[in-house]
Amino acid sequence: MKKLLKFIIVFSVTVILVLGFYFFFPHVWGEIVYPLDYQDSIKKYSLERKLDPNFVCALIYTESHFNPQASSGVGARGLMQIMPQTGGSIAEELGEGGYNADKLYDPDTNIRYGTYYIKGLLDKYDGNEDLALAGYNAGVGRADKWKDGVAQLPFETVFFIQKVKNTRDMYQKVYGSWASASSEVKKPTPFYQGISNFSGFVKGLILGR
């Protein structure tokens, strides 16, 4: 009997901790784990390109964890990990002279170029996020072959696509629709709201709702 009681207590505490973490994590720790730097640039270019700002945040987070000086082993640079040659093509399409690859380390420039590039891919693939992200990560050639059923995507690209989408969901949960045309940045829900949500959930379980 004592062993059963001990098991019930341990099990109950574990369930409470897991549920507490689920409800409290986005509201208390979300801002630390999922930063929202360069808000002005993200909002500006997301609105200009008609992109979901949280999607852009997720892409930045996945590519560089918001490190503007990030560099990959193949030479991609900056927040959205743009290849120097791609940056040059984007600068030409935007009619910007005086391009050099070091500009990709400038946050505003990188976000401007990155949002332009992902928007072009979304337009190319009729809004299909999976194909656009595949093109962003593995190149348009591989994305086209995947679309046509000719070849599979590398595991790295499959993981990349899923991570961006999952991260976008977390940014939405933590910050909400923070970058609408007339809104200010939305901070995570206060701690007391997390408690309220959790209490409501427990009450619903007890009452069978």
Side-chain angles (χ1 to χ4, degrees), residues 50-76:
K50 297 182 179 179
L51 296 169
D52 174 8
N54 287 323
F55 178 74
V56 175
C57 289
L59 190 52
I60 294 172
Y61 180 92
T62 302
E63 287 286 15
S64 69
H65 280 72
F66 281 82
N67 175 11
Q69 298 300 314
S71 297
S72 74
V74 296

Side-chain angles (χ1 to χ4, degrees), residues 6-83:
K6 183 178 180 180
F7 171 79
I8 292 174
I9 293 174
V10 172
F11 178 78
S12 299
V13 170
T14 301
V15 170
I16 290 172
L17 288 175
V18 170
L19 291 175
F21 179 81
Y22 175 80
F23 278 93
F24 294 160
F25 173 76
H27 307 304
V28 179
W29 303 109
E31 191 177 11
I32 297 173
V33 179
Y34 295 95
L36 185 51
D37 302 325
Y38 314 110
Q39 297 167 11
D40 291 342
S41 294
I42 293 172
K43 179 176 179 177
K44 176 182 178 181
Y45 298 119
S46 294
L47 292 176
E48 284 184 7
R49 321 282 195 221
K50 297 182 179 179
L51 296 169
D52 174 8
N54 287 323
F55 178 74
V56 175
C57 289
L59 190 52
I60 294 172
Y61 180 92
T62 302
E63 287 286 15
S64 69
H65 280 72
F66 281 82
N67 175 11
Q69 298 300 314
S71 297
S72 74
V74 296
R77 300 184 177 192
L79 291 170
M80 300 186 74
Q81 289 293 276
I82 300 170
M83 293 293 291

Side-chain angles (χ1 to χ4, degrees), residues 49 82-97 99 104 109-118 136:
R49 321 282 195 221
I82 300 170
M83 293 293 291
Q85 184 176 357
T86 302
S89 298
I90 293 171
E92 185 175 347
E93 290 177 20
L94 292 175
E96 297 182 2
Y99 169 80
L104 296 176
T109 300
N110 196 282
I111 294 170
R112 183 168 75 255
Y113 286 11
T115 51
Y116 177 84
Y117 187 49
I118 191 64
Y136 196 96

